Amino acid sequence: MTATDRSVELINAAAQAAADKLAHDIIAYDVSDVLSITDAFLLASAPNDRQVKSIVDEIEERLNKDLGAKPVRREGDREARWVLLDYVDIVVHVQHSEERVFYALERLWKDCPQLELPADAEATRGKAEEYAQAQGAGGELS
């Protein structure tokens, strides 16, 4: 079994929305063969809580406006360290960069096929590492 066309449509819209809000390391997995509860996961991260909230809000707004999709569940809003949007067909995880490294969801789903994403989303790969290096270089004392 593979992700449905509707799931792929939702994933692509969510990935583009995340990229538009400067999310880092956007990636999607087709988990339909290993999970019966959803077809696909989208993972994205941001370097601070405020940006996590901004990305989540944009994804939710875009999917509602463009595709008429509303999440059945939204978790993690209060802390904005790891926000989960459950659309049944897909589940979106937007994590603070530190949580992304610690929980390493990519490691759990690495055997699942990756879904092709819009070019803007693909271009975010490696951005978290670039950001961390820039912060480290800028924050050093001479």
Side-chain angles (χ1 to χ4, degrees), residues 21-113:
K21 287 294 180 176
L22 307 178
H24 296 165
D25 300 316
I26 302 169
I27 192 165
Y29 293 100
D30 180 339
V31 296
S32 61
D33 283 341
V34 293
L35 292 177
S36 61
I37 58 171
T38 193
D39 282 348
F41 281 163
L42 180 74
L43 310 176
S45 56
N48 61 61
D49 303 354
R50 190 180 206 171
Q51 191 174 357
V52 167
K53 281 187 84 82
S54 177
I55 293 164
V56 168
D57 289 345
E58 183 67 18
I59 291 170
E60 194 169 8
E61 184 178 321
R62 186 92 50 100
L63 268 58
N64 186 21
K65 187 177 123 198
D66 296 350
L67 302 173
K70 292 182 181 180
V72 296
R73 192 172 73 214
R74 181 175 174 156
E75 295 183 8
D77 254 352
R78 185 170 295 169
E79 298 83 24
R81 302 286 293 178
W82 180 350
V83 180
L84 180 143
L85 296 172
D86 183 352
Y87 287 90
V88 179
D89 293 329
I90 70 166
V91 175
V92 177
H93 300 268
V94 182
Q95 297 175 298
H96 188 288
S97 299
E98 292 169 1
E99 266 68 11
R100 179 95 179 249
V101 170
F102 182 79
Y103 289 102
L105 294 179
E106 291 92 339
R107 193 180 55 215
L108 294 173
W109 304 110
K110 69 178 188 253
D111 293 334
C112 295

